[in-house]
């Protein structure tokens, strides 16, 4: 299951666990992973969390380094 699908399902706990695992295992690559555009939607995880209106996930993503200026494939920012 991808971070994007977890965000879209509004499962805060699963997103938190995934972010913790990513931080533990690949801290140096986390900013790249957490700001990557989804292949299907073209959105960053932060944009997806905002679209579903889940502020808990938005906060988690920001805590782990999501870039509020990272653009999606359409050039939009959160």
């Amino acid at each position: 299951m991808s971070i994007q699908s977890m965000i879209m399902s509004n499962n805060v706990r699963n997103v938190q666990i995934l972010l913790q695992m990513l931080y533990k295992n690949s801290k140096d690559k986390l900013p790249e992973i957490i700001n990557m555009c989804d292949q299907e939607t073209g959105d960053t995880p932060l944009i997806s969390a905002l679209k579903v209106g889940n502020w808990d996930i938005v906060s988690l993503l920001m805590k782990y380094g999501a870039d509020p200026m990272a653009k999606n494939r359409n050039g939009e920012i959160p």
Side-chain angles (χ1 to χ4, degrees):
M1 183 176 259
S2 70
I3 189 169
Q4 208 73 12
S5 59
M6 285 183 196
I7 291 168
M8 299 310 284
S9 69
N10 265 324
N11 193 324
V12 177
R13 183 67 185 136
N14 283 349
V15 172
Q16 183 178 24
I17 290 168
L18 176 63
L19 290 171
Q20 288 170 344
M21 288 173 32
L22 288 170
Y23 183 79
K24 181 180 177 182
N25 296 323
S26 52
K27 187 188 301 188
D28 57 326
K29 292 193 179 214
L30 187 58
E32 178 184 331
I33 295 168
I34 206 167
N35 293 304
M36 191 178 300
C37 292
D38 182 67
Q39 289 182 359
E40 289 183 33
T41 66
D43 289 329
T44 64
L46 187 56
I47 291 174
S48 294
L50 289 166
K51 283 184 176 180
V52 297
N54 193 317
W55 294 105
D56 292 330
I57 294 176
V58 169
S59 294
L60 274 173
L61 291 168
M62 295 294 291
K63 176 183 172 184
Y64 282 92
D67 181 0
M69 299 306 290
K71 297 177 182 179
N72 67 5
R73 277 197 300 231
N74 294 328
E76 301 165 324
I77 58 171

